[in-house]
Amino acid sequence: MSKFTVPDKVLFVCTGSKCGKKGGKDMYKAAKKFAKHSPQDIEVFRIECTDRCDYAPVCTLSPGNIWLKEYSEKDVLKLLNS
């Protein structure tokens, strides 16, 4: 049986139509690159829609159930680094 690991942090980035156009796709790429080189175990997932289009772009970080709206890349990477 293989070992089941739980990451330190999980980032879900909305890349749906509105979020994607407002930076979600770029954020996903930047976060994947950041996670690859981070000493922490961080997983990044692309999700299609959070149904919060009025606040695009949107992402969520666990643990902590932290939701970010209208974020900048700098804000998200800062949270991942903390």
Side-chain angles (χ1 to χ4, degrees), residues 47-63:
I47 55 177
E48 284 302 312
C49 189
T50 60
D51 199 28
R52 290 167 172 85
C53 299
D54 291 342
Y55 308 104
V58 175
C59 67
T60 183
L61 179 66
S62 292

Side-chain angles (χ1 to χ4, degrees), residues 1-13:
M1 182 180 284
S2 63
K3 185 178 178 184
F4 182 80
T5 60
V6 177
D8 299 321
K9 295 179 182 177
V10 180
L11 179 68
F12 297 93
V13 181

Side-chain angles (χ1 to χ4, degrees), residues 22-46:
K22 291 190 172 189
K25 289 179 182 178
D26 292 334
M27 182 68 252
Y28 173 76
K29 290 176 189 174
K32 286 290 278 189
K33 187 175 182 179
F34 178 87
K36 184 177 180 179
H37 300 290
S38 175
Q40 299 179 70
D41 185 12
I42 301 171
E43 289 192 32
V44 181
F45 294 96
R46 176 189 339 217

Side-chain angles (χ1 to χ4, degrees), residues 14-27 53-58 70-73:
C14 182
T15 59
S17 61
K18 214 169 200 182
C19 285
K21 289 176 187 171
K22 291 190 172 189
K25 289 179 182 178
D26 292 334
M27 182 68 252
C53 299
D54 291 342
Y55 308 104
V58 175
E70 301 169 346
Y71 58 77
S72 72
E73 185 176 306

